[in-house]
Amino acid sequence: MQAILVAVLNGDQAVSDLTLSQWDLLIRQARKSMLLGKLYYFIEDEFDLNKVPESVLRYLQSAHVHSTKQYTDLLWEIKHLEKVARQLGFPLVLLKGSAYAIAGLSAARGRIFSDIDLMVDKKNISLTEKQLMLNGWVSSSSDYYDQLYYRKWMHEIPPVHHVFRGSVLDVHHNIIPPTAKKSPDASLLMAQSHPLEGYDFMSALSPLDMIIHSATHLFYDGELDHGLRDLVDLDALIQSNQAMLKFEEKLLLRAFELGLQRPVFYALRYTHLILHTQIPSKVLQDSQRGVPNKALLKLMDFLFLRVLMPDHPSCNDRWTGFARWSLYMRSHWLRMPLSLLIPHLLRKSFLRLTGKEHH
Amino acid sequence: MTDIAKRLTTDGLVLQVGSFKYSIQTQYRSIVASIAILYTDFETLNKDDENIFIDFYISIEPTNIFGKFISRQAQFRFDGFIPFNSLPCQHAPAIIEWGMNWCVSSQINTHLIIHAAVIEKSGYAVVMPAPPGSGKSTLTAALIQEGWRLLSDELTIIDVETAHVVPFPRPVSLKNLSIDIIKERYPSVVFGPVSTDTSKGNVCHIKPPQLSVQQQFLECPVGGVIFPKYEQGVSAELIEIGKGQALMDVASNSFNYSRLGSAGFDVLHKVIDSASCYQFQYSQLDDAIAIFSALELGRE
């Protein structure tokens, strides 16, 4: 049986027909998937908020208040960040949620985000870090191993937070770790980034690269804690680019150029399968050039079709736990060679066993 | 085993508390006992009803998968989500009360939620925001035995549209010496089990008056905002305070004032505008009760 949240989002289940106990489950799944704020707008667009039962409506409205507040807070942080960028003399490239919000994309409506993700050229990383520090952002981790691990092997430096306002930044120089098997040339991404409207020193990736980044984040980097939320992002990004002339063809070309055709194939496949995202059949066909072999695809379907469901007990079957674990291991396997991976995972499990770390 | 115990320990007991429906699940006998004592006047609902929307699914279980025989720590969960660390299982009855408060203060943004006790008389509510140790709960526990209606002991919930208080008449939490003081003054008050040595000392909850529970859907406007302060030896006195000051002080005691943005300011402005605002110091409950009964509310 399909998760009710997915059925509502893809149109299989009409909102007008929901019983109160179905609303109950819908709100629980959406809350767990960080999609309550999105659901507010979905119902406003596709149905009518006034027809939602009152006991249910307050959770949609509460989520709306929360996401609106987050957006206001984000604008304030971006103001401060642009000051830093101005001092640096080069733009900071916003990634993911904050980029969608500042670019005014529909993907940002009702979205909840925690950290602000930035990208700069690798050669500018230490300069950026210093300038951020002069403006109040300091490193959140004092652990020697963490610092070393991030700086040596990762595509970002350890997170920094603002000493007064508490805002957290992740500063990247690439979208996946350089140790990964498919790490793209970051300069190709930076070259096509462009200033955001209304800002001189804040930029975003090109619309195509935003999609490719989102796809890579979900289907390669393996951050699957909020898989469905990220899939909903992808759906919105794809839809808001549909109007672009020959958009899908360009998307595939660009994916091949960056060497990220596989995650883009998965993105098109699973947005289409799960959320019924409109994708021209020719493009779905063409994207097959990024397809894994048949057996692997069967396995991936088995895993992703479980893991991309809401992370709520009502959506789990006996294989869900195994699927989450497998994709977690896959993401690490894709991230770095075994010679790095094994010591890292051993250290992590030791810390977890001794209760010094929880995740 | 009673019906309540059976439902609590299997698929969950659904209680209507104020305007919220809680589904509560637990293996702890102490919580079963506590709920059987403190929540008898609340309506229970059938979980399998097609026409029921449950606001909060909560559970409190041992942290260890081997269960309560091995684990000494109890974990509160909100529909699987863990909002705060596990605590010693001896405190289970207190943890469930704190967890129920957390659900409202963290999830609801359609109302302004203030960390304050609130009581009602002749149609007007008196909101009493105060930090722990100010004697707010002791005062509340006494006043609700003296004819005041309990709207809430911990969370004052204010409708953003109407600026009225939405009742949430939960058990009143008493700490340390207050437990004995109330026991002595009002022998008929029903007490739940004591959680000893919590971070707040010994904690015990008293059963809310039956009439307050029966009127839990009856909202009312705010007539007074009073900041109580217990201080040994002082004579009881109401000191009028400026409205600007009162607004800032209530805002700083609110859980979601800043999240609500301008709507938060607007509703608080409305509340403060229509309320008499005082600081109140006292050392004797008798004097406090006398002063409260002489309050003339709803004049502003």
Side-chain angles (χ1 to χ4, degrees):
Chain A
M1 198 188 72
Q2 201 174 201
I4 191 157
L5 173 61
V6 171
V8 164
L9 292 175
N10 70 21
D12 284 353
Q13 167 73 53
V15 179
S16 53
D17 299 341
L18 294 176
T19 64
L20 265 182
S21 61
Q22 283 176 309
W23 274 110
D24 179 300
L25 196 55
L26 177 66
I27 294 290
R28 291 170 78 188
Q29 292 181 359
R31 182 188 288 129
K32 205 68 203 293
S33 311
M34 291 177 80
L35 283 170
L36 265 182
K38 293 249 165 197
L39 195 59
Y40 174 91
Y41 284 109
F42 179 86
I43 289 172
E44 187 180 48
D45 295 346
E46 308 288 326
F47 183 56
D48 185 353
L49 284 167
N50 294 319
K51 290 186 187 154
V52 175
E54 211 177 325
S55 54
V56 180
L57 186 61
R58 65 178 165 199
Y59 295 99
L60 295 172
Q61 285 173 332
S62 291
H64 176 59
V65 168
H66 187 197
S67 65
T68 308
K69 161 75 170 146
Q70 282 216 321
Y71 176 67
T72 320
D73 288 353
L74 177 70
L75 289 182
W76 182 240
E77 286 304 318
I78 299 296
K79 245 189 215 309
H80 287 283
L81 278 174
E82 192 174 37
K83 208 170 73 192
V84 179
R86 218 179 277 278
Q87 294 161 1
L88 283 166
F90 53 81
L92 297 172
V93 179
L94 290 175
L95 300 174
K96 297 191 272 190
S98 45
Y100 311 156
I102 303 299
L105 298 178
S106 65
R109 289 171 85 212
R111 195 181 190 274
I112 298 292
F113 20 35
S114 40
D115 308 347
I116 298 176
D117 295 288
L118 297 174
M119 184 160 148
V120 294
D121 281 322
K122 191 170 184 186
K123 65 174 190 330
N124 288 330
I125 277 278
S126 64
L127 206 60
T128 308
E129 194 179 3
K130 268 182 215 143
Q131 204 63 38
L132 283 171
M133 200 188 272
L134 286 173
N135 284 276
W137 277 279
V138 298
S139 192
S140 307
S141 166
S142 55
D143 183 66
Y144 175 72
Y145 178 87
D146 277 358
Q147 290 283 346
L148 188 77
Y149 174 78
Y150 268 101
R151 289 175 198 279
K152 196 159 181 194
W153 306 115
M154 284 287 102
H155 54 307
E156 59 187 320
I157 59 171
V160 293
H161 69 272
H162 196 275
V163 280
F164 299 131
R165 297 193 306 276
S167 60
V168 177
L169 309 178
D170 291 330
V171 185
H172 301 73
H173 53 78
N174 201 336
I175 56 169
I176 37 179
T179 53
K181 293 171 181 63
K182 295 274 184 206
S183 192
D185 179 353
S187 64
L188 291 176
L189 297 165
M190 292 300 281
Q192 294 205 359
S193 67
H194 58 93
L196 284 156
E197 207 183 311
Y199 294 85
D200 298 325
F201 282 90
M202 298 309 294
S203 293
L205 297 178
S206 75
L208 291 181
D209 289 352
M210 269 190 202
I211 298 178
I212 295 171
H213 178 206
S214 178
T216 307
H217 184 66
L218 182 56
F219 294 107
Y220 194 93
D221 211 21
E223 292 211 6
L224 290 155
D225 302 351
H226 300 290
L228 183 61
R229 194 272 309 261
D230 293 352
L231 200 71
V232 168
D233 276 354
L234 271 167
D235 169 67
L237 290 175
I238 291 171
Q239 285 196 38
S240 55
N241 280 291
Q242 289 278 6
M244 232 167 80
L245 194 64
K246 297 201 173 152
F247 148 74
E248 284 92 352
E249 283 170 40
K250 288 188 198 160
L251 177 67
L252 293 180
L253 280 176
R254 180 67 171 167
F256 273 97
E257 190 182 353
L258 293 168
L260 295 170
Q261 60 275 25
R262 185 67 65 85
V264 170
F265 163 77
Y266 286 137
L268 294 174
R269 179 177 181 81
Y270 295 118
T271 48
H272 181 71
L273 276 179
I274 296 172
L275 296 173
H276 300 180
T277 311
Q278 298 281 332
I279 294 163
S281 52
K282 180 169 180 310
V283 176
L284 274 179
Q285 244 168 39
D286 285 355
S287 74
Q288 302 280 338
R289 284 158 61 207
V291 79
N293 67 52
K294 260 198 184 133
L296 184 57
L297 184 59
K298 264 220 153 81
L299 175 67
M300 285 305 166
D301 279 354
F302 180 85
L303 300 175
F304 274 120
L305 290 176
R306 286 182 170 77
V307 170
L308 292 172
M309 289 302 112
D311 186 9
H312 189 263
S314 61
C315 306
N316 293 349
D317 67 12
R318 56 197 298 207
W319 293 105
T320 304
F322 170 76
R324 284 189 192 282
W325 179 81
S326 306
L327 288 176
Y328 176 76
M329 294 313 273
R330 167 183 177 266
S331 75
H332 275 79
W333 157 249
L334 291 173
R335 241 167 198 245
M336 54 181 95
L338 282 179
S339 56
L340 288 177
L341 181 59
I342 291 172
H344 178 64
L345 286 183
L346 280 177
R347 183 177 185 278
K348 268 192 144 177
S349 12
F350 178 73
L351 286 181
R352 217 175 285 187
L353 280 175
T354 52
K356 288 182 183 137
E357 188 188 284
H358 298 290
H359 292 289
Chain B
M1 203 163 23
T2 65
D3 181 47
I4 285 184
K6 196 171 152 216
R7 287 204 263 168
L8 276 169
T9 52
T10 54
D11 63 341
L13 172 73
V14 182
L15 283 177
Q16 177 81 47
V17 186
S19 57
F20 305 105
K21 294 179 180 69
Y22 285 85
S23 163
I24 307 170
Q25 248 179 322
T26 186
Q27 299 300 317
Y28 288 109
R29 296 261 135 234
S30 56
I31 294 182
V32 174
S34 175
I35 285 178
I37 296 169
L38 299 173
Y39 286 87
T40 42
D41 295 332
F42 291 87
E43 188 191 354
T44 61
L45 299 128
N46 181 3
K47 199 168 189 170
D48 302 322
D49 189 345
E50 275 272 288
N51 284 309
I52 181 172
F53 177 88
I54 293 169
D55 296 89
F56 308 118
Y57 287 82
I58 61 175
S59 70
I60 177 158
E61 302 293 4
T63 45
N64 197 295
I65 49 164
F66 300 110
K68 58 185 172 187
F69 302 107
I70 292 186
S71 176
R72 308 308 298 163
Q73 293 287 109
Q75 181 66 62
F76 173 82
R77 282 190 176 80
F78 167 47
D79 204 10
F81 173 72
I82 297 178
F84 45 81
N85 287 339
S86 62
L87 291 161
C89 62
Q90 296 86 331
H91 305 166
I95 302 171
I96 199 95
E97 295 292 330
W98 297 335
M100 287 170 79
N101 285 338
W102 176 88
C103 290
V104 174
S105 65
S106 67
Q107 301 298 312
I108 300 293
N109 295 321
T110 46
H111 295 68
L112 180 69
I113 319 267
I114 306 162
H115 187 203
V118 56
I119 51 179
E120 177 263 344
K121 203 170 181 179
S122 30
Y124 288 98
V126 173
V127 179
M128 297 193 284
S134 53
K136 152 182 78 95
S137 289
T138 319
L139 188 56
T140 306
L143 288 169
I144 59 175
Q145 308 306 321
E146 304 283 345
W148 290 75
R149 171 160 75 111
L150 174 68
L151 297 179
S152 176
D153 167 46
E154 281 284 332
L155 300 180
T156 298
I157 305 173
I158 296 182
D159 189 313
V160 173
E161 302 288 326
T162 60
H164 286 186
V165 177
V166 180
F168 191 44
R170 301 266 310 289
V172 177
S173 132
L174 292 175
K175 279 161 248 160
N176 306 321
L177 288 177
S178 308
I179 301 173
D180 298 325
I181 292 171
I182 296 297
K183 245 182 203 163
E184 215 164 280
R185 273 187 83 96
Y186 306 105
S188 64
V189 169
V190 179
F191 284 77
V194 182
S195 298
T196 51
D197 302 319
T198 75
S199 57
K200 305 179 180 184
N202 293 349
V203 174
C204 184
H205 288 79
I206 64 171
K207 188 179 167 192
Q210 191 177 31
L211 193 62
S212 301
V213 177
Q214 283 166 358
Q215 297 181 340
Q216 65 176 341
F217 297 111
L218 194 62
E219 304 179 4
C220 68
V222 178
V225 173
I226 298 179
F227 297 87
K229 175 106 186 72
Y230 169 83
E231 222 175 305
Q232 225 170 14
V234 297
S235 51
E237 191 185 359
L238 278 174
I239 306 155
E240 198 160 351
I241 53 171
K243 299 231 160 171
Q245 186 61 43
L247 189 142
M248 294 310 290
D249 288 347
V250 175
S252 70
N253 276 293
S254 160
F255 287 96
N256 59 356
Y257 175 73
S258 78
R259 213 180 305 153
L260 263 50
S262 59
F265 175 80
D266 290 343
V267 67
L268 195 49
H269 180 232
K270 231 191 255 181
V271 166
I272 296 290
D273 225 24
S274 64
S276 315
C277 303
Y278 303 102
Q279 244 165 25
F280 175 61
Q281 53 171 34
Y282 78 101
S283 59
Q284 300 297 321
L285 276 177
D286 287 330
D287 302 341
I289 292 160
I291 285 187
F292 266 72
S293 63
L295 277 174
E296 290 184 44
L297 299 168
R299 286 187 311 166
E300 304 228 1

